[in-house]
Structure formats: C-alpha cells, structure tokens
C-alpha cells in the first residue's frame, strides 16, 4: 500500500474541512428566521389554496384572473425569446378559455418553443424570491411593468389582454400604498407561486398526460426528432421544479431582514407618503381576495361584453 506524503494528507484534510465548513455555512444561510418562516407558511397556504381552487370545478373561477395572468407570462416568454433570436413578433393573444397564442416569424424554434414553460417558471421563481422582501417586490413590480408594456404593444388588438394587464397594474399600485408595500410583497409572492404551479400542472397536462393533441413539447419533438414529447415534458418539468426550489433558496439566503427592518428600509426606497395613524393593514389572504375583486370585476365585465 503506497504511503501518502504528509503534505498530501494535509491537503486532503484541508479540502474535507473546507467542504464541511461550506455545507455548514450554506445550511446556516438557508435556515429561515421568524419573518422568513412566516413567508414560507404563507407560500405553503398559497400552494394548497391554488391546488384546491384550480381543480375544483365550481371554485376555479375564483383564481380565473390569475390563470389568465400566468398564460400571459407563458406567451410573453415566447415573445421575449423570439426577440432575442431576431424574430418578428406579430401579436400576442389571450382567450377566455385560458389559452393563448404568440404569432411570430423567424427566430430559433428550438429556443422559442420551450421558452413558454421555462420562461414563465423562471419568472415565477424570481417573483417568489422577491416575495421575501418588500423592496425587492417593488423592483419586481417595476420590471413587470416594463414587460407588460411590451406585451400591451404586441397585444394591442386583444381587449382581454389589455383589461387583464391594466387591472393587475392597478392592483400593484394599490398595494404599493398599503403598509409601505408589505401587501405588495404578499401579492408578488402569490403571483410567483401561481406562475410556478401553472407551469408544473400545465406541463403534466399538455405533455405527460397528453390531455391535448398538440403542445409546445409536441412541436419541439417534431423539430428535434430524437425524443417523444413526453420526454421533453419530463425534462421541462424537472427544470421547472429546480427553478421553483431555487426561487425559495435565493429568497432565504438573500433577504434576512425582519418585517420591522424591511419596513424601515422601504421608507428610503421609492417611499410612499402615508399617514401611519391611519395605515391600512391587510393579511396575506385579504391581499389576494382584494386583488381578485379588483382584477376579476373588469375581466368579468369584458367577457360578458359590457
């Protein structure tokens, strides 16, 4: 048996110690504090509520505006991937049956096709991470506003898309004024969870369970020719799960401030003049319910033609 030199033994021990310290430091970083535990509990409640409302036939209308929003993220991701691959975007359309279509010419199909699911799951993961912090939620709102402006331009002939985006923008402005943006944080968190859940369930329905005859995965399989659509669906599902997990991990590592610290910092970042004695307080559930009423009413009126 060969004898290892002393310096090589020291190097091996040092590498093991470094790895152990890194893992221990990472475990410390992702350990949630009290504020983050509350955020995780709220996110868990969102997941349960969305799962119930999504699959119960007579209750699914409650989250109907947010279903349309996640479809909008899907189509917007197609369009952004198209722009990045030099495609010409003709239009984006949403329909009342929770479907959507992005019409483009040119581009690279093997990039633009998976961008719908992967892009909307990435958007959801980013929003989940930002949902751990008030100022990060404000930044996320501004970024969404920029993307929505492009979407409105591409969907300028689709009334439903206009009503949906303007209603969501109105809710964001409204929640920006509630408790220095704390309600906005819960709303951004909800949209992020909703977007990730949409991707997971839609990939399963469209590609693995094959509940529809055509999908982005089937079109992608036709182009590649090497694997059936179910294989691509499973791969995209795994990537969507990874994005979901990374969104939570980033939120836990990056935003360790307590609620009080977040409120203090939010007063110095795009502050909103408020009267603290008359401040409005909303729970996470009340935040989502108010968002539904604010968004759902104009969308309902649009659908019935008023």
């Amino acid at each position: 048996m060969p004898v290892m030199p002393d310096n090589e033994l020291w190097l091996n021990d040092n590498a093991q110690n470094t790895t152990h310290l890194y893992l221990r430091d990472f475990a410390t970083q992702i350990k949630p504090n009290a504020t983050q535990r509350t955020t995780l509990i709220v996110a868990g409640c969102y997941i349960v509520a969305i799962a119930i409302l999504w699959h119960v036939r007579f209750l699914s209308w409650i989250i109907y505006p947010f279903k349309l929003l996640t479809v909008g993220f899907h189509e917007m991701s197609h369009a952004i991937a198209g722009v990045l691959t030099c495609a010409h975007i003709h239009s984006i359309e949403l329909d009342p049956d929770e479907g959507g279509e992005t019409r483009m010419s040119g581009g690279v199909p093997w990039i633009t096709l998976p961008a719908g699911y992967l892009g909307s799951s990435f958007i959801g993961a980013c929003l989940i991470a930002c949902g751990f912090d008030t100022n990060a939620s404000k930044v996320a709102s501004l970024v969404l506003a920029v993307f929505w402006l492009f979407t409105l331009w591409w969907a300028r002939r689709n009334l439903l898309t206009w009503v949906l985006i303007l209603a969501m923008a109105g809710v964001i402005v409204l929640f920006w004024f509630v408790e220095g943006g704390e309600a906005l944080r819960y709303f951004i968190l909800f949209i992020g969870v909703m977007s990730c859940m949409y991707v997971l369930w839609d990939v399963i329905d469209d590609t693995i369970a094959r509940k529809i005859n055509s999908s982005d995965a089937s079109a992608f399989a036709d182009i590649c020719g090497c694997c059936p659509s179910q294989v691509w669906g499973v791969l995209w599902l795994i990537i969507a799960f990874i994005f979901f997990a990374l969104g939570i991990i980033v939120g836990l590592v990056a935003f360790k401030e307590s609620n009080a610290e977040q409120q203090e910092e939010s007063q110095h970042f795009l502050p909103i003049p408020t009267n603290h004695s008359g401040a409005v307080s909303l729970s996470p559930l009340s935040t989502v319910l108010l968002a539904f009423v604010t968004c759902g009413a104009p969308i309902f009126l649009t659908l019935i033609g008023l």
Side-chain angles (χ1 to χ4, degrees), residues 3 6 22 41 58 181 284:
V3 178
D6 291 341
Y22 175 79
I41 292 172
F58 298 103

Side-chain angles (χ1 to χ4, degrees), residues 87 135 151 169 174-175 190 193 213 237 240 244 248 257 282:
N135 283 345
T151 303
L174 173 64
F175 287 161
F190 177 79
V193 172
N213 294 325
L237 187 67
F244 191 16
I248 296 174
E257 294 82 0
L282 290 179

Side-chain angles (χ1 to χ4, degrees), residues 127-138:
L127 294 179
I128 288 174
C130 291
F132 280 81
D133 182 76
T134 301
N135 283 345
S137 297
K138 291 181 178 181

Side-chain angles (χ1 to χ4, degrees), residues 15-96:
Q16 291 177 359
N17 290 335
T18 302
T19 302
H20 176 71
L21 289 174
Y22 175 79
L23 292 176
R24 187 174 66 181
D25 182 59
F26 178 73
T28 302
Q29 288 180 332
I30 65 172
K31 183 179 180 180
N33 58 28
T35 299
Q36 291 176 324
R37 281 195 295 270
T38 301
T39 303
L40 290 174
I41 292 172
V42 171
C45 293
Y46 285 163
I47 292 174
V48 174
I50 291 169
I52 294 173
L53 295 175
W54 196 296
H55 294 97
V56 177
R57 182 175 181 181
F58 298 103
L59 296 178
S60 61
W61 60 271
I62 295 177
I63 56 172
Y64 178 74
F66 302 103
K67 284 186 176 183
L68 289 179
L69 181 63
T70 55
V71 174
F73 285 152
H74 181 100
E75 302 305 328
M76 182 176 68
S77 298
H78 279 309
I80 292 173
V83 170
L84 293 177
T85 55
C86 301
H88 175 67
I89 310 301
H90 298 288
S91 65
I92 289 179
E93 294 183 1
L94 303 182
D95 64 65

Side-chain angles (χ1 to χ4, degrees), residues 7 44 92 105 133 139 146 151 157 179-180 194 228 245 247 250 269 288:
N7 62 333
I92 289 179
S105 56
D133 182 76
V139 173
V146 173
T151 303
R157 297 181 181 178
E179 288 204 351
M194 184 77 184
V250 170
F269 181 76
V288 176

Side-chain angles (χ1 to χ4, degrees), residues 123-244:
I123 291 172
C126 291
L127 294 179
I128 288 174
C130 291
F132 280 81
D133 182 76
T134 301
N135 283 345
S137 297
K138 291 181 178 181
V139 173
S141 301
L142 298 177
V143 174
L144 282 179
V146 173
F147 284 126
W148 283 346
L149 287 175
F150 283 103
T151 303
L152 288 177
W153 170 253
W154 290 324
R156 54 190 177 274
R157 297 181 181 178
N158 187 247
L159 178 60
L160 182 60
T161 305
W162 271 79
V163 173
L164 174 68
I165 291 180
L166 292 178
M168 289 294 174
V171 171
I172 286 179
V173 172
L174 173 64
F175 287 161
W176 200 305
F177 284 84
V178 178
E179 288 204 351
E182 185 176 0
L184 178 65
R185 180 168 75 87
Y186 288 124
F187 184 59
I188 291 296
L189 179 67
F190 177 79
I191 295 178
V193 172
M194 184 77 184
S195 184
C196 285
M197 292 297 98
Y198 159 78
V199 173
L200 298 178
W201 289 325
D202 209 40
V203 168
I204 293 174
D205 285 346
D206 291 353
T207 63
I208 300 175
R210 294 299 296 270
K211 291 184 178 180
I212 62 174
N213 294 325
S214 62
S215 65
D216 292 341
S218 61
F220 189 78
D222 291 339
I223 292 175
C224 294
C226 59
C227 301
S229 61
Q230 290 91 337
V231 173
W232 296 114
V234 171
L235 178 61
W236 295 352
L237 187 67
I238 293 173
I239 296 174
F241 268 116
I242 293 174
F243 281 154
F244 191 16

